[in-house]
Each structure stands twice: as structure tokens, then as C-alpha cells.
Amino acid sequence: MRFLLEICKRKQAMSSEMIVDRGAVLRDPRALALLFAASLTTMANATISPALGGLSELFADHPNARFVTTLLVPAPSLTFIFCAPLAGLAADRLGRRWLLLIGILLFAITGSAGLYLPDLTSILMSRLALGLAVAMIMTSQTALLGDYYEGTALKRLAGLQVSARNFGGFTFITLAGWLAATSPRLPFAVYALPVLLLLLVCRAIAEPAIRRDRAAAPCQSLVSLGEKWLGPMMGLAALQMGTTALFFIMPTQVPFLLEARGYDSASGTGMVLGALTLAGGLAALAYHRASGRFGEVGVFAIGYVLMALGFAGIASRPEFAATLAGAVAIGLGFALVMPNFVALALTIAPAQCRGVVGGILTTSVFVGQVVSPFATTPMIDKVGYAWTYAAAAGLVLCLAMASSVAALLRR
């Protein structure tokens, strides 16, 4: 955790040129547009989770139907991993606004394709194409946050961004759970909703003045990021990847966990993941206050402790209420941890390289999402759900202990 201490010291030494008060941030239409765009991250992957069981039955004649169905959730991440760095360079060289607009339109087209595609393979291909849209949206959206805001405003927007993802996820996943009870294909219709966002983005988002006024040279490669902060940046990305991989045990494995424990998969998954995202949305609203009181490293420690408690609760008790309570704890902890990565990374990033940094940040998230089912599915087959969730609790607890030590060293 040494890189966290280095980042915090660097952050404290920097001045803020575009600090905006809290009320002004909430009244800014640019912030609203970016927050709505941020909500598409959760929507991209976890929205179809309540339909996984139904899709597995619908395409039961497909070889390895269960495993391929499980891959539908993280499938956009596979494409995103390769496209995000290129999308980041495009955002720095060509501009953020048009990349965001095209990404939203492509998102609606590819995401809703599961409504009518004839087989599981073609649906998987459409999910892979969705990853390109997500890469365009998330790299440009993250770069725009750093272009428009700094200091207190950036920290507040980082928390609100996670809240938007979680509240959006709660809405989308709950709606998908209701639709999945009727047909496993209907949740794909939810992906057409972002078309409504296009008008707001067209009106509110302009190419940032910081790029025009400073005439910053585009970031050409990772080498140009600079050795002094590249190491801490990559450390943040690695930590974010591991955190996401552990968290993503929930949307990828909960449908099958509930089924194994004798509960209704579609409605139960909707309730559990709805509680997970709703709790996270509420917790992220308090991020800027928590980081102000405990510091960024202290927030890491608190968040990881909550996640460890949640995984331990699910592992130790088979009751549905215990699974709900564990999901709430995991959602609270994850929502406190995630804004730290964006706030710290954008604080130390050069203005001309924020697109690339946005690509690095979001790539680490999606790498974690891809790694999660490949790591957990064989483990579940070998030792079962309880021991897998217990192992996740132990790993997160190690992160909490390391963060606590780093917090004490910082003090």
C-alpha cells in the first residue's frame, strides 16, 4: 500500500484551479449528463443477471450452456479490455464529446440485440460488441470529469458517479428481474433506454475549454505519462482490478447460489442485486464526507472491512435474509472504495492524458470482471459456494488490514 501514501502526499501538494461549490455541482447540467452516462457501467453487465437461469434453460441444447450463459454478464468486458486504451487515445486526440455520443447510440443498439437474436452464440457476440460502446462511453466520461472539475468538486462527483452507477443498477436490475419473470429475453429491452440520454448529452456537453485554452498536446502513449506517477497509477489500477474481481462474484454467481440453496433464481437475484446496488448508492453519497474525515486510505480500510463482513455472512448462513444482509454490506463497502480510485487518479493525471488514464481505470475494472467467473466457477465446482465466499472474505480482509496499516503509517 506504499503507492497509496505516495499518491495522497502528491494530492495534498496540488492546487485546485476549478473548485466548484457543492450546490453548483448539482445544478450543473454537465454533471447530470456525465452521471447518467456513468450509470451505464452497471447496466452494461449486471442488468441481465436475473435472466441467466432462464437463458440457460432456453438454450439448454447449446453445449456448455450454463458456462456460456454466465459469460454473458462479463462478456462486454472482454472487448472493453482491448478497446479502452484505444478509446482513451481517441478521446485525447479527437475529443471527448463525439466519442461519448457515438458510444451511447452504439450501446443502445448492441445492448438490446438479445431481444431478437436467434441463439446463444449470436447473443454472446452482441455482448462483445457492447464492450466497444462501453469503452467509448467510460473513457470519455471519466476524462470529462477531470476536464470539468477539480478539488472538492471532483471528489464529490467521484462519489456521485458511484451513486449513479448503483442507483441506476438498482433501477435496471430490479426492472430486469420483473421482466425476466415473464421472459428471459425481455431484460435486453432495458438497454434501449439510453437513447433518451442522447438529447441531454448533445445540449449539455461541449468539448472542454481546458483542452482548447491550454492547447495541450495529445497523450501519445503510456511512456508520456511520466515515471513519477505512472507507478502509483498502475498500483491503483491493479488494486481496483482485484477489488472488482472479488465484488463481481455477486452478479455472476448469486443466481446459481440461490438456485443451489433452493430459492427462486430470477426474483431472488433481482432482490439481492437490487439491495446490493441500492446500499452502494446510498453509501457513495457519503464518500466525500468520509474521505474528508478519515482520509482516502482510511476509507479503503472501512470499505474493505464491510465487504469482508458481507462475504463472510453469505458463506456462513444459507438463509435468504443472510444473503440479503451480506449483499448490503458488500454494496456499502464497494461503494466507499471505488470513488477513491477515480479521485486519486484524476488528481495526479496530466490534463492532456486524462483520456488514457480513463482507459486505464476502466480497463482495470473490466479485467476484474472477466477474471472473476474464470477464477470462481472452477473453485465453486471443487469446494462449493460456502468455501468460495469464505475465501473471498479472507482476501478482502487482507486488503482491509493492509489499508489499516497504511492509514496508521500516514498518520
Side-chain angles (χ1 to χ4, degrees), residues 32-48:
L32 295 177
L34 294 177
L35 291 174
F36 279 123
S39 70
L40 302 184
T41 304
T42 303
M43 184 181 184
N45 294 81
T47 295
I48 64 166

Side-chain angles (χ1 to χ4, degrees), residues 42-372:
T42 303
M43 184 181 184
N45 294 81
T47 295
I48 64 166
S49 291
L52 293 183
L55 289 171
S56 181
E57 294 178 4
L58 182 64
F59 299 106
D61 57 338
H62 188 283
N64 300 317
R66 178 177 172 179
F67 181 67
V68 175
T69 303
T70 304
L71 285 180
L72 293 179
V73 176
S77 308
L78 292 168
T79 310
F80 183 96
I81 292 170
F82 298 101
C83 294
L86 297 177
L89 288 172
D92 287 331
R93 294 178 62 84
L94 305 177
R96 336 283 204 205
R97 182 175 182 269
W98 280 108
L99 197 69
L100 181 60
L101 288 168
I102 295 171
I104 293 172
L105 180 60
L106 183 62
F107 184 98
I109 294 171
T110 57
S112 61
L115 275 171
Y116 53 83
L117 292 175
D119 53 59
L120 192 58
T121 300
S122 59
I123 292 176
L124 181 60
M125 293 301 103
S126 72
R127 300 287 293 173
L128 293 172
L130 179 62
L132 173 60
V134 177
M136 298 169 70
I137 293 170
M138 296 315 300
T139 53
S140 56
Q141 184 263 348
T142 302
L144 285 166
L145 277 182
D147 289 338
Y148 287 151
Y149 305 100
E150 287 184 4
T152 303
L154 177 59
K155 182 178 290 188
R156 180 164 178 79
L157 260 297
L160 289 174
Q161 176 179 253
V162 175
S163 288
R165 291 174 181 173
N166 282 272
F167 286 133
F170 172 76
T171 302
F172 301 139
I173 293 171
T174 302
L175 177 59
W178 293 338
L179 295 174
T182 302
S183 168
R185 285 186 178 270
L186 281 180
F188 290 99
V190 178
Y191 288 91
L193 294 177
V195 170
L196 304 175
L197 179 60
L198 285 172
L199 181 60
L200 175 60
V201 173
C202 282
R203 291 186 174 183
I205 299 298
E207 197 62 32
I210 187 173
R211 285 170 52 79
R212 298 193 303 265
D213 295 343
R214 295 182 182 180
C219 191
Q220 300 294 333
S221 66
L222 291 178
V223 176
S224 63
L225 295 179
E227 294 181 0
K228 291 184 178 180
W229 67 275
L230 178 58
M233 176 66 221
M234 299 310 292
L236 276 177
L239 180 59
Q240 185 175 237
M241 181 192 70
T243 303
T244 304
L246 290 166
F247 172 79
F248 230 65
I249 295 173
M250 296 300 289
T252 58
Q253 300 299 342
V254 157
F256 305 106
L257 167 71
L258 294 177
E259 183 179 312
R261 290 181 172 180
Y263 300 106
D264 180 76
S265 178
S267 61
T269 301
M271 292 178 64
V272 170
L273 297 187
L276 178 92
T277 53
L278 181 60
L282 294 173
L285 292 175
Y287 163 73
H288 68 289
R289 294 189 180 92
S291 62
R293 181 169 184 177
F294 301 106
E296 288 82 1
V297 182
V299 169
F300 273 125
I302 295 170
Y304 285 133
V305 166
L306 287 170
M307 290 182 67
L309 290 174
F311 281 119
I314 295 174
S316 60
R317 301 293 297 273
E319 295 86 355
F320 184 76
T323 303
L324 273 178
V328 169
I330 292 169
L332 292 173
F334 189 70
L336 285 176
V337 167
M338 292 305 287
N340 263 341
F341 296 110
V342 175
L344 292 173
L346 289 179
T347 297
I348 63 174
Q352 69 272 22
C353 294
R354 286 178 182 141
V356 170
V357 170
I360 294 173
L361 284 175
T362 46
T363 297
S364 70
V365 170
F366 283 84
V367 169
Q369 292 176 1
V370 171
V371 167
S372 184

Side-chain angles (χ1 to χ4, degrees), residues 364-390:
S364 70
V365 170
F366 283 84
V367 169
Q369 292 176 1
V370 171
V371 167
S372 184
F374 284 101
T376 57
T377 300
M379 186 174 182
I380 289 170
D381 292 338
K382 186 173 183 179
V383 301
Y385 287 100
W387 282 106
T388 301
Y389 276 79

